[in-house]
């Protein structure tokens, strides 16, 4: 069974994000970048399926600038077998990403596609669902448990009322949630081996995908600073301040 895993290059979650001075975009100069945490969970799940003997090949895919090859190499160090880099400097919106992945799926014919439920930069939570619509594949989103057997994948997913388990015929799409697993760290030997693993490069144009933006970014700014809280001596004072100062009651 072949698994295709999508990984996205994002600002490391430990870094405080700041806008550019002119507010035109997020400042990426000299900022540490990493694999999107949800994508890292997707890679870990694919590797576990391979270790269990369920999967035979893992293909890591990333769409972005040339530097995104760093994140593909990280996925290879974590256990992926080969990588595909779709190189572009364009701002890739979810629909463009889904169309690009659809083109790669048609070339690679994977049995299972695993990706993070959302990225921590744009935070859209749309690509997996759009990919499912474009490919007409069944999808299990927000997965907290994945089991593959007999040409089907059982996905336990987190919903508002608790947990829901759906059984999907392969090929299928799974988007990962935080509680699916805990990603491993790449060992030094595996990092060195990853440098020799195959990594193919293509472009959206070669795949026949348009990167034209449908949404214009007008401005990026930090949210207003929250005022410090205060202590009040009694309930009457609290009610008075909520009514006359905060004006919430």
């Amino acid at each position: 069974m072949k698994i295709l895993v999508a990984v996205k290059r994002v600002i490391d979650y430990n870094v405080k994000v700041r806008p550019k001075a002119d507010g035109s975009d997020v400042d990426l100069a000299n900022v540490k970048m990493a694999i999107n945490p949800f994508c890292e969970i997707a890679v870990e799940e694919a590797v576990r399926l391979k270790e269990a003997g369920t999967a035979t090949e893992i293909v890591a895919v990333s769409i972005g600038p040339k530097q995104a090859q760093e994140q593909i190499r990280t996925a290879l160090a974590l256990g992926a077998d080969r990588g595909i880099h779709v190189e572009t400097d364009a701002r890739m919106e979810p629909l463009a990403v889904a169309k690009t992945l659809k083109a790669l799926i048609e070339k690679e014919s994977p049995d299972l596609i695993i990706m993070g439920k959302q990225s921590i930069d744009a935070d859209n939570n749309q690509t997996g669902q759009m990919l499912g619509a474009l490919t007409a594949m069944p999808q299990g989103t927000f997965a907290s448990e994945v089991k593959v057997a007999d040409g089907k994948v059982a996905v336990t997913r987190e919903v508002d009322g608790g947990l829901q388990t759906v059984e999907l015929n392969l090929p299928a799409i799974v988007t990962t949630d935080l509680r699916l697993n805990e990603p491993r760290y790449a060992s030094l030997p595996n990092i060195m081996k990853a440098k020799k693993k195959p990594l193919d490069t293509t472009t959206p144009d070669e795949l026949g995908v348009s990167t034209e933006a449908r949404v214009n970014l007008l401005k990026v700014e930090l949210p207003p600073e929250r005022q410090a809280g205060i202590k009040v001596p009694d309930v009457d004072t609290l009610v008075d301040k909520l009514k006359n100062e905060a004006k919430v009651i």
Side-chain angles (χ1 to χ4, degrees), residues 42-161:
V43 174
E44 174 66 24
E45 191 63 23
V47 173
R48 292 188 183 191
L49 288 171
K50 185 179 179 183
E51 290 174 343
T54 303
T56 55
E57 184 183 25
I58 302 170
V59 183
V61 176
S62 189
I63 307 166
K66 188 173 183 178
Q67 296 90 328
Q69 291 188 11
E70 299 172 11
Q71 281 62 53
I72 298 176
R73 291 293 180 192
T74 299
L76 295 175
L78 292 170
D81 298 294
R82 59 186 176 92
I84 300 175
H85 178 214
V86 183
E87 186 172 349
T88 176
D89 291 320
R91 178 188 292 277
M92 295 292 285
E93 296 175 355
L95 182 58
V97 174
K99 288 181 177 180
T100 304
L101 292 175
K102 176 179 180 289
L104 290 173
I105 288 169
E106 290 172 350
K107 291 181 64 176
E108 293 289 332
S109 299
D111 301 287
L112 183 63
I113 299 93
I114 309 180
M115 63 178 68
K117 70 171 184 176
Q118 65 194 79
S119 60
I120 61 172
D121 50 5
D123 223 29
N124 288 313
N125 182 19
Q126 294 175 339
T127 303
Q129 292 87 331
M130 288 180 173
L131 182 60
L134 290 172
T135 59
M137 287 184 182
Q139 56 179 294
T141 56
F142 317 127
S144 60
E145 186 178 4
V146 174
K147 293 181 179 179
V148 180
D150 302 323
K152 299 179 184 294
V153 55
V155 179
T156 300
R157 52 192 307 269
E158 299 187 359
V159 295
D160 290 341

Side-chain angles (χ1 to χ4, degrees), residues 230 235-249:
I230 61 171
V235 174
D236 291 338
T237 306
L238 173 63
V239 173
D240 178 68
K241 288 186 176 295
L242 290 174
K243 183 177 181 180
N244 299 314
E245 292 185 18
K247 299 186 184 301
V248 295
I249 60 173

Side-chain angles (χ1 to χ4, degrees), residues 181-221:
N181 61 52
E182 184 175 342
R184 70 193 69 191
Y185 292 99
S187 65
L188 182 58
N190 287 337
I191 292 173
M192 300 305 293
K193 291 177 183 177
K195 295 179 180 180
K196 298 181 180 180
K197 290 183 178 180
L199 197 164
D200 298 325
T201 302
T202 185
T203 65
D205 288 340
E206 291 176 355
L207 296 172
V209 176
S210 171
T211 59
E212 182 181 359
R214 288 172 166 78
V215 177
N216 292 325
L217 178 62
L218 301 180
K219 188 177 182 182
V220 176
E221 59 184 358

